[in-house]
Amino acid sequence: MSEESDSQRTSPSVASLSENELPLPPPEPPGYVCSLTEDLVTKAREELQEKPEWRLRDVQALRDMVRKEYPYLSTSLDDAFLLRFLRARKFDYDRALQLLVNYHGCRRSWPEVFSNLRPSALKDVLNSGFLTVLPHTDPRGCHVLCIRPDRWIPSNYPITENIRAIYLTLEKLIQSEETQVNGIVILADYKGVSLSKASHFGPFIAKKVIGILQDGFPIRIKAVHIVNEPRIFKGIFAIIKPFLKEKIANRFFLHGSDLNSLHTNLPRNILPKEYGGTAGELDTATWNAVLLASEDDFVKEFCQPVPACDSLLGQPLLSEGLISDAQCDDSMRAMKSQLYSCY
């Protein structure tokens, strides 16, 4: 029998099949499969009120709320994606929905940050060494995001480029279920930050950044460690503090140049030698490569046009307590005096 005849015999057209012989539809993609260890499942149950036996029911409840209350919201409704928001709000449906809406609202309302947001557009920031993620987690399993503002030269690019790089890093980190449960730690080295550089981070930028971190992104920030802060940081923190919720404000730790103080929170064996650690020199190239390897994913997520019917267009960020614009104006008027008083 010829090859053509054999092909016709083994691959008949649908028209030639009886009703009972119709080919089955392709299988649906596999649903959510938990990647958490038994210890992390227990931790999620104790700290986040996540019950494995109810997990998919909770996800479906949030999905139904989105479809009912925001039918035109352009968002993923995958199990794994919605779980990020449930975990970040301890499986409170209403708060998880608000966080999801805020997440997309932030992206619509700040085009300078979120337009064309992909690693290849941020090579200057990445090559500067402004940020990296340390290769080892802390004893609680938190990844450590290391930020070095002194590496930024304002004449090279605006401060929003740094914010874009931080946001991409958070997006990459939160893909891990371990990070969703454990959270992250921020290590910020303010060595060499001058008055002129600090002035770029005014109240309006602070309000937007902190609004995203507190009310618009599904991540748990467990601690913020500040090292080598000059006197000018007193002014910087005075700008930031009015926008911080008390819980987050209490997670800021100022160590100055006392690395022994830092080591009581972050052990030396996970820190690079620049911070008195034993984990070798600070490596920025590895994390840069991780981000750049995710280019296609970020293009798909951040470089597509927003549908005109999107129900969030023009809506302000929902919040559990953001500072008003009037207070932001007051902070702006006071900023210069706050900064100069540090000298």
Side-chain angles (χ1 to χ4, degrees):
M1 183 178 290
S2 69
E3 183 177 343
E4 180 180 0
S5 299
D6 190 55
S7 174
Q8 289 175 348
R9 178 175 61 81
T10 58
S11 302
S13 67
V14 172
S16 68
L17 293 174
S18 67
E19 183 177 344
N20 293 331
E21 293 175 324
L22 288 176
L24 296 174
E28 294 185 1
Y32 167 77
V33 177
C34 182
S35 64
L36 298 175
T37 64
E38 289 187 14
D39 287 343
L40 284 177
V41 168
T42 300
K43 183 176 183 178
R45 183 188 292 272
E46 294 174 351
E47 296 187 9
L48 307 181
Q49 285 72 59
E50 177 176 345
K51 298 177 175 61
E53 62 272 21
W54 291 354
R55 185 188 287 129
L56 294 182
R57 180 208 67 175
D58 294 334
V59 168
Q60 186 60 47
L62 178 57
R63 184 183 293 115
D64 291 342
M65 292 173 71
V66 174
R67 287 171 171 163
K68 179 180 179 180
E69 299 183 33
Y70 296 91
Y72 300 109
L73 177 62
S74 178
T75 184
S76 170
L77 294 176
D78 292 348
D79 294 347
F81 181 76
L82 294 179
L83 264 176
R84 302 177 187 181
F85 297 88
L86 287 166
R87 285 169 172 155
R89 290 299 179 263
K90 298 185 177 181
F91 282 76
D92 182 315
Y93 296 167
D94 292 327
R95 294 180 65 225
L97 176 63
Q98 177 176 307
L99 179 61
L100 175 63
V101 171
N102 287 351
Y103 171 82
H104 288 288
C106 290
R107 290 164 56 171
R108 308 291 188 270
S109 66
W110 204 0
E112 298 92 338
V113 168
F114 294 101
S115 295
N116 192 35
L117 184 56
R118 51 182 172 177
S120 63
L122 295 169
K123 286 184 178 179
D124 287 345
V125 182
L126 299 179
N127 291 336
S128 74
F130 172 78
L131 90 170
T132 192
V133 173
L134 302 187
H136 305 292
T137 60
D138 78 353
R140 297 177 296 179
C142 302
H143 279 290
V144 180
L145 169 58
C146 180
I147 300 174
R148 298 186 293 170
D150 69 303
R151 294 290 179 145
W152 171 49
I153 301 175
S155 60
N156 288 351
Y157 49 82
I159 192 171
T160 48
E161 293 297 283
N162 294 330
I163 297 167
R164 282 155 60 82
I166 293 171
Y167 195 91
L168 278 187
T169 291
L170 295 180
E171 282 282 357
K172 188 62 183 176
L173 286 173
I174 204 59
Q175 291 176 2
S176 163
E177 288 198 279
E178 292 185 12
T179 300
Q180 294 169 27
V181 174
N182 291 328
I184 66 167
V185 167
I186 297 174
L187 171 60
D189 182 357
Y190 275 84
K191 182 179 181 180
V193 174
S194 64
L195 173 63
S196 62
K197 187 174 289 188
S199 66
H200 289 266
F201 194 73
F204 292 110
I205 294 288
K207 179 182 178 181
K208 284 182 174 291
V209 171
I210 294 171
I212 290 171
L213 294 178
Q214 291 188 145
D215 296 302
F217 196 86
I219 202 161
R220 307 174 70 207
I221 299 177
K222 305 302 292 183
V224 180
H225 295 285
I226 310 295
V227 296
N228 297 320
E229 69 275 14
R231 288 183 296 173
I232 189 64
F233 189 80
K234 179 181 177 183
I236 297 174
F237 196 67
I239 296 169
I240 296 172
K241 194 171 183 179
F243 306 108
L244 294 173
K245 296 175 183 177
E246 182 179 2
K247 180 175 73 173
I248 297 296
N250 291 337
R251 293 178 180 176
F252 272 72
F253 302 93
L254 309 183
H255 301 284
S257 58
D258 183 3
L259 294 181
N260 288 328
S261 172
L262 175 66
H263 297 159
T264 62
N265 296 273
L266 296 177
R268 296 177 68 238
N269 66 320
I270 74 165
L271 291 171
K273 70 176 187 179
E274 288 86 346
Y275 303 110
T278 59
E281 294 186 357
L282 184 65
D283 172 24
T284 61
T286 299
W287 183 252
N288 290 352
V290 169
L291 289 180
L292 290 168
S294 303
E295 176 84 4
D296 290 345
D297 292 338
F298 285 121
V299 167
K300 184 184 301 183
E301 180 67 20
F302 291 101
C303 301
Q304 307 302 320
V306 177
C309 62
D310 194 307
S311 60
L312 286 185
L313 291 175
Q315 289 195 13
L317 175 70
L318 301 174
S319 172
E320 301 169 12
L322 277 182
I323 302 300
S324 68
D325 287 339
Q327 288 171 292
C328 191
D329 290 339
D330 290 341
S331 295
M332 177 64 83
R333 285 191 290 270
M335 180 180 69
K336 289 185 178 179
S337 62
Q338 290 170 340
L339 292 176
Y340 281 110
S341 69
C342 300
Y343 282 89

